[in-house]
Amino acid sequence: MRNVNVVAIALTAALVTLQLVGLAMLERSHAYAMHPSVPLEPAVCTESADVPVSQIPYD
């Protein structure tokens, strides 16, 4: 009966370790997704470019 308890404790420890590793991987992927390498806002252009833009009338 003692061997069953040791096996149960070892399996529980292994499952907890796997859960912690999975949680760490999830946190890391979420943190990476929150900080994209490409900025979402366009870069400010210092040169002026006169490009004609057609205006669309709205009702």
Side-chain angles (χ1 to χ4, degrees):
M1 190 54 108
R2 181 173 166 87
N3 290 339
V4 174
N5 289 339
V6 171
V7 170
I9 291 171
L11 287 176
T12 303
L15 287 175
V16 169
T17 302
L18 285 175
Q19 286 181 343
L20 290 175
V21 169
L23 182 62
M25 291 174 64
L26 181 66
E27 287 291 326
R28 184 174 179 176
S29 67
H30 180 69
Y32 180 73
M34 295 300 289
H35 300 288
S37 60
V38 177
L40 296 178
E41 297 180 9
V44 177
C45 185
T46 56
E47 298 177 7
S48 64
D50 294 330
V51 177
V53 177
S54 62
Q55 296 295 324
I56 301 173
Y58 294 101
D59 292 335

